[in-house]
Amino acid sequence: MASKKFLYINRRAPHGSIYAHESLEVVLIGAAFEQAVTLAFIDDGVYQLMQNQDTGGIGVKNFAPTFRALGDYDVNQIYVEQESLELRGLSKDDLIPLTYEDEDDDWAEKDSIHVVSSAELADIIEQQDVILNF
Amino acid sequence: MKFAILVNEGPYTHQASDSAYNFTAAVLRAGHEIVRVFFYHDGVYNGTRLSVPPQDDRNVSDRWAALAQQHEVELILCVAAAQRRGLLDDDEAKRAGKDSSNMAEGFQISGLGQLIDAGIQADRLIVFGD
């Protein structure tokens, strides 16, 4: 099977619509296909990675803890747009600390999340074969 | 060229489904290949056979089904998205203990793996959504 670069762009807030939740379902299924997987979070999509989400008040499932499993699925290229964070008064410290164990580096624990500028993200998008935009 | 199509919005509420249909028809007219049309999110509602639009409006489900029959295009509804939203084929309805199914002719229910596979097989995956 040909190996392609898949990018999932997440643009929406985690709750209020189902796009974010169902996007994560595609990512988890897609991880089994042994393709190169990258996630990008822009605009309100950056809220998806916020720490301490509590959906009790709105009666919907809190799927944010599932992000922590991504490292185990070899999904460890996660890019968050700096401008989107700044516009919302957020920084990387507000985000769930996602990590993975690097098998090429004696299983050292490494950060999966990289905060990048809009211009850097444009380069990353440019390198992809398949882009799924949620 | 081989195209895969992803439809993320339901019919009538949103232009995405119409645009996806028109694009798919244009691809086929131009002699290209459609690997698969995959319906996700509210896009699964494109596959209902119980839609009854006014006589002077387009029938979105019938239009997709006719295109699929004419060109042997696969129309796939995501099973998880469809179950959530009450779009069931006969097997799913039976399994879930429901009294009826509502999936239109020409559509099939399958998993998200079919979306990933479409992305791998196609030269271009085109997403129609909000």
Side-chain angles (χ1 to χ4, degrees):
Chain A
M1 191 183 285
S3 181
K4 286 191 171 182
K5 292 180 182 166
F6 278 68
L7 171 68
Y8 299 87
I9 300 181
N10 298 285
R11 297 176 288 127
R12 294 182 174 90
H15 314 296
S17 74
I18 201 170
Y19 297 104
H21 186 182
E22 287 191 331
S23 169
L24 188 55
E25 290 187 353
V26 183
V27 172
L28 293 173
I29 297 287
F33 280 72
E34 298 189 351
Q35 309 292 305
V37 175
T38 301
L39 271 57
F41 293 85
I42 62 173
D43 299 340
D44 279 352
V46 300
Y47 287 124
Q48 292 181 31
L49 297 176
M50 285 285 285
Q51 296 209 57
N52 304 320
Q53 293 180 45
D54 178 1
T55 58
I58 53 173
V60 299
K61 185 173 171 179
N62 180 13
F63 60 90
T66 309
F67 284 114
R68 291 183 187 276
L70 290 176
D72 297 334
Y73 284 84
D74 288 331
V75 176
N76 49 42
Q77 299 298 311
I78 299 177
Y79 295 92
V80 180
E81 193 198 51
Q82 188 172 2
E83 288 88 339
S84 297
L85 284 176
E86 284 172 1
L87 273 169
R88 290 162 182 79
L90 301 173
S91 72
K92 193 179 176 188
D93 294 339
D94 296 303
L95 307 180
I96 304 166
L98 299 181
T99 58
Y100 70 105
E101 292 174 349
D102 188 351
E103 59 179 313
D104 298 325
D105 191 8
D106 199 22
W107 304 98
E109 190 171 271
K110 296 186 176 177
D111 271 354
S112 297
I113 294 182
H114 310 277
V115 176
V116 295
S117 69
S118 174
E120 288 170 309
L121 192 56
D123 288 339
I124 291 162
I125 292 170
E126 188 66 34
Q127 293 161 18
Q128 306 300 318
D129 296 313
V130 180
I131 299 174
L132 291 151
N133 198 336
F134 293 106
Chain B
M1 189 177 268
K2 292 198 271 187
F3 289 89
I5 308 294
L6 173 60
V7 183
N8 283 339
E9 296 295 335
Y12 305 107
T13 304
H14 203 289
Q15 170 77 29
S17 163
D18 294 284
S19 297
Y21 171 81
N22 289 328
F23 184 86
T24 302
V27 163
L28 293 165
R29 266 200 310 276
H32 299 294
E33 185 186 334
I34 297 288
V35 174
R36 184 171 296 135
V37 183
F38 194 90
F39 297 87
Y40 197 43
H41 301 306
D42 278 2
V44 297
Y45 288 124
N46 285 277
T48 178
R49 69 161 181 265
L50 299 183
S51 158
V52 188
Q55 295 271 335
D56 59 353
D57 199 356
R58 69 227 187 277
N59 187 314
V60 170
S61 299
D62 286 359
R63 201 172 57 175
W64 276 117
L67 192 71
Q69 195 184 16
Q70 196 182 343
H71 298 277
E72 294 183 359
V73 173
E74 266 184 52
L75 305 176
I76 305 289
L77 308 182
C78 166
V79 60
Q83 285 177 335
R84 253 185 202 126
R85 292 167 175 82
L87 251 290
L88 305 173
D89 64 7
D90 291 342
D91 288 347
E92 294 295 332
K94 205 170 293 173
R95 198 170 303 144
K98 299 295 183 184
D99 59 5
S100 65
S101 64
N102 57 350
M103 202 176 70
E105 196 86 9
F107 291 81
Q108 300 168 63
I109 284 186
S110 191
L112 279 168
Q114 295 290 312
L115 170 59
I116 306 298
D117 178 70
I120 294 168
Q121 304 300 333
D123 299 306
R124 295 283 187 280
L125 172 75
I126 314 291
V127 182
F128 293 87
D130 189 32

